[in-house]
Amino acid sequence: MLRLAAFAVTSALAASAATAAGPLPPLSTLGRLLAAPDRLTITVSATGNPRANGEYLLECNPVGGNHPEAERACDRLDILAKQDKDPFAPTAKRQICTMQDGGPATAHVTGTWQGHKVDATFRRTNGCEIARWNNLEPVLPGGRS
């Protein structure tokens, strides 16, 4: 009987402490909080701008690495995450795209974002690929020709 009373008091104290701290966040949020920070390696070439070409490390939450616009790049990734969009997903195979050439620039992104493995290649070979690249600026450098 004494154990039951002690359990009831402990349970009541735990419940009141949880209520005072506010409701617990959803499990998806907890998973993101416990996941490793976002860490991407971005290799860019043939942009026509020698300062944009190269290999960059971008870390978010907290911001770090040698990416030239790390703060803005992490902000852009946060916006895309809140919109529940995967900026690293390839263009749909059956998507109709304008046949325009955005130049020879290429980018390869590897690492982890939102707890998911990333291995994506970007080119500016048609309207869809140009839009995909532009959507990820400033993670990728401006590649407009």
Side-chain angles (χ1 to χ4, degrees):
M1 188 70 140
L2 191 52
R3 278 190 195 167
L4 185 57
F7 177 74
V9 169
T10 305
S11 297
L13 288 173
S16 67
T19 303
L24 291 175
L27 286 178
S28 62
T29 302
L30 285 175
R32 251 184 277 151
L33 292 173
L34 298 175
D38 297 338
R39 183 180 176 104
L40 299 170
T41 300
I42 303 156
T43 306
V44 183
S45 63
T47 63
N49 178 357
R51 289 180 290 171
N53 296 335
E55 184 173 286
Y56 305 99
L57 175 63
L58 175 64
E59 296 174 329
C60 300
N61 304 316
V63 175
N66 67 343
H67 190 285
E69 296 187 65
E71 187 80 34
R72 287 185 58 229
C74 289
D75 289 345
R76 179 65 184 142
L77 290 172
D78 285 345
I79 289 168
L80 292 168
K82 288 176 184 162
Q83 294 173 351
D84 204 26
K85 295 183 180 178
D86 180 1
F88 304 106
T91 302
K93 293 198 184 290
R94 296 185 148 226
Q95 187 170 345
I96 297 173
C97 304
T98 59
M99 296 311 297
Q100 63 191 86
D101 184 9
T106 62
H108 188 222
V109 182
T110 58
T112 305
W113 180 68
Q114 298 289 300
H116 300 283
K117 214 173 170 172
V118 173
D119 187 353
T121 300
F122 293 81
R123 293 183 176 83
R124 301 179 60 78
T125 55
N126 61 46
C128 296
E129 292 298 324
I130 292 169
R132 183 172 169 246
W133 181 298
N134 292 348
N135 183 52
L136 205 50
E137 289 179 16
V139 177
L140 301 179
R144 293 173 181 84
S145 45

